[in-house]
Amino acid sequence: MIQYYKIAGIVIKVVSEGINLIEELEYQRFKTTCQNENYTVDFRVVKELELGLGNITYQDEQNIIYDDGKYRYVNNRFLIKKISDNYYNVFIKKCDNEVSNREMFNAMGFDVLLAKERKLILHASFIVYRNKAILFSAPSGTGKSTQADLWKKYVSSVEIINGDRAIIGIVTASCAHFVCPITLSVLS
């Protein structure tokens, strides 16, 4: 199966033959008919994965990512190999080939693709007020979503865009803000 997603202005072609993709509703709006992809990510089912080695480049409560310079290992479940600047293979074990959209984007190294495009994911609650983006960024459990909800409750023109993650980046010399994972118009 071949699907295209447009996220923060980046078109990603996902080839997922042999993968049982669990479609999550919040990712449906990111599908696109545009076939002018910036990146291709080809998921491949294999019998076994090599053991994740290398340095830990990211770790939180749910994820651990190792990188040995040649491969990137995500949760010892996915192995990412860069084929070219815009083509990646993602290997997954045959017995573990049921993948949700969220897992798929984690597995493909979406954060790395964003970084190549001068964009990053920020753990933040994201609102728009008077056509300006306001992002509340802080550790989990400190009240980012509560702050956004209070703005919405007391200021009628506030729109909550996302309560958890935002993509920010530089677009033509001005800062642009994107819903994670859907593109929002540039706010200056």
Side-chain angles (χ1 to χ4, degrees):
M1 175 183 346
I2 297 175
Q3 297 179 31
Y4 293 84
Y5 295 86
K6 186 171 185 178
I7 303 162
I10 303 167
V11 177
I12 302 168
K13 177 182 177 180
V14 177
V15 180
S16 58
E17 300 299 326
I19 301 294
N20 183 15
L21 183 61
I22 301 167
E23 298 280 351
E24 295 171 290
L25 185 59
E26 66 265 24
Y27 285 84
Q28 293 298 313
R29 64 182 180 164
F30 309 118
K31 286 187 174 181
T32 182
T33 56
C34 176
Q35 295 185 4
N36 188 18
E37 69 269 12
N38 302 90
Y39 300 97
T40 298
V41 180
D42 187 354
F43 282 82
R44 297 175 176 224
V45 177
V46 295
K47 287 185 179 183
E48 289 295 323
L49 289 181
E50 295 177 31
L51 185 61
L53 302 172
N55 297 319
I56 295 175
T57 58
Y58 179 81
Q59 185 172 7
D60 64 18
E61 304 84 33
Q62 300 170 354
N63 299 291
I64 185 164
I65 299 173
Y66 297 90
D67 194 323
D68 69 3
K70 184 176 179 181
Y71 295 103
R72 187 173 191 215
Y73 304 87
V74 180
N75 299 332
N76 286 323
R77 185 172 176 213
F78 304 99
L79 182 145
I80 305 166
K81 181 179 182 185
K82 179 180 174 181
I83 304 302
S84 70
D85 283 341
N86 63 349
Y87 196 98
Y88 296 81
N89 284 336
V90 178
F91 300 96
I92 182 171
K93 286 184 356 185
K94 185 172 186 167
C95 63
D96 199 22
N97 68 338
E98 189 169 272
V99 179
S100 70
N101 291 114
R102 182 177 308 275
E103 292 170 317
M104 178 182 72
F105 279 95
N106 280 340
M108 74 172 61
F110 182 58
D111 57 325
V112 173
L113 300 182
L114 284 172
K116 289 175 66 169
E117 300 293 328
R118 300 177 62 195
K119 298 173 182 169
L120 62 93
I121 298 173
L122 183 64
H123 184 209
S125 191
F126 176 178
I127 66 171
V128 173
Y129 173 63
R130 295 185 179 168
N131 204 30
K132 303 281 184 189
I134 300 174
L135 291 92
F136 307 105
S137 182
S140 294
T142 57
K144 297 177 301 298
S145 297
T146 301
Q147 182 67 251
D149 290 340
L150 289 170
W151 273 76
K152 179 71 175 167
K153 180 177 179 179
Y154 293 108
V155 183
S156 61
S157 62
V158 167
E159 180 183 1
I160 296 175
I161 304 299
N162 190 305
D164 187 47
R165 300 190 316 173
I167 297 173
I168 59 174
I170 304 299
V171 177
T172 60
S174 65
C175 188
H177 315 275
F178 305 92
V179 177
C180 188
I182 190 168
T183 303
L184 182 71
S185 59
V186 175
L187 304 170
S188 53

